[in-house]
Amino acid sequence: MKRLLALTALILGIASAQTTATSTWADLLQPTLDAKQQACDAATAYEKAHPTPAGQKYVGGDQSDAARLGRRLIDDRNSPPEVKVPAGVVSRIIIQLPLASVANMCGNAAHDGTTVKVGRYLAVTLVYIQGELVALKDALTRTAALRLLDRDGKELTRIESLRDAAAKVDQALWTRECQDNVCRWRGFSVFRFNEPLKPETYAATQTVQLVYDRGYGPEVRDYTAADFTKLTLGGK
């Protein structure tokens, strides 16, 4: 099955400062069927108007600011000093919200000449966390979870990432780099979240906290719904 996220999105530079109105967490994490269908229709139309070259593994899709805003966030904030990240390792995180996942799925289908019934699919959030590996298989040992917190910082629920026991590492997301006879894999571990929650849980959510371990010890990133009115956080 094709990766939902186009590889080109992983190598985007710092995006513009364009913003949009703040959505609710329910809009972001559990969009309505109408919203998903609109995203699907737009992605299908874009692929038909701008066909992906034959043989290309990833369907690029519409990478304009307008198409990505409120659907995909690049977090380039630095990890805190207590997390001993090796020199040269980038701490980029890419959060792909359900509407972006739907758009990529429908773009792939249009490229293949098939159609998608979006009502059959759960809302999927994908989190791509950049890191470094000694062996490629180590990507499957990395962990991540989402904690939904209320305005007092109390945990409402915790969502663990889903990973098939037979999952394989997507080597297209990793590059082997060698220096002074020491080689490492550098790229992105991918985590999938699609647990539907009650409307009252989303309504009470003030902050979504990403808790993850990419081999340097536990790390935490906090997000508010307002963060998704931007294309990037941190960076130069």
Side-chain angles (χ1 to χ4, degrees):
M1 180 178 178
K2 292 185 177 179
R3 177 69 60 198
L4 294 177
L5 177 66
L7 185 59
T8 52
L10 298 177
I11 58 176
L12 287 172
I14 300 302
S16 74
Q18 182 178 352
T19 60
T20 187
T22 302
S23 299
T24 67
W25 279 117
D27 294 332
L28 296 171
L29 298 179
Q30 201 68 226
T32 64
L33 177 58
D34 284 346
K36 290 191 290 185
Q37 188 62 59
Q38 290 175 17
C40 184
D41 292 345
T44 299
Y46 186 89
E47 176 61 25
K48 289 180 178 179
H50 307 86
T52 300
Q56 181 173 313
K57 182 176 181 181
Y58 296 97
V59 172
D62 186 354
Q63 296 300 318
S64 67
D65 289 354
R68 292 185 293 120
L69 200 60
R71 297 184 181 184
R72 187 175 298 139
L73 179 67
I74 298 175
D75 184 354
D76 281 334
R77 293 177 292 180
N78 292 326
S79 294
E82 59 268 22
V83 180
K84 304 303 180 183
V85 180
V89 176
V90 181
S91 296
R92 171 169 286 189
I93 293 173
I94 299 173
I95 300 177
Q96 177 177 297
L97 295 175
L99 288 183
S101 296
V102 167
N104 286 329
M105 179 172 58
C106 293
N108 285 331
H111 179 65
D112 294 338
T114 60
T115 58
V116 173
K117 293 184 178 180
V118 296
R120 294 181 177 179
Y121 294 90
L122 294 174
V124 175
T125 296
L126 297 178
V127 177
Y128 290 71
I129 300 177
Q130 197 160 7
E132 181 184 81
L133 307 171
V134 175
L136 203 56
K137 62 181 176 60
D138 293 340
L140 298 178
T141 68
R142 303 313 190 225
T143 60
L146 296 178
R147 298 177 67 228
L148 274 60
L149 311 178
D150 66 14
R151 62 179 59 255
D152 297 320
K154 179 182 177 182
E155 182 179 296
L156 297 167
T157 190
R158 180 185 178 101
I159 307 173
E160 300 293 340
S161 61
L162 299 177
R163 181 174 280 163
D164 193 315
K168 296 181 180 180
V169 178
D170 187 348
Q171 191 167 332
L173 300 179
W174 296 90
T175 301
R176 187 165 176 79
E177 301 178 4
C178 298
Q179 185 175 4
D180 299 328
N181 296 320
V182 176
C183 297
R184 294 288 187 272
W185 290 93
R186 289 181 173 173
F188 289 85
S189 295
V190 187
F191 302 92
R192 176 188 175 101
F193 303 90
N194 66 348
E195 182 176 330
L197 302 173
K198 296 179 180 179
E200 52 266 32
T201 301
Y202 291 117
T205 298
Q206 181 74 18
T207 302
V208 172
Q209 188 175 82
L210 173 65
V211 182
Y212 61 100
D213 190 334
R214 51 183 174 149
Y216 316 129
E219 299 181 61
V220 174
R221 298 282 178 96
D222 289 344
Y223 301 94
T224 66
D227 288 333
F228 291 88
T229 64
K230 307 170 186 177
L231 292 171
T232 62
L233 298 176
K236 297 180 182 180

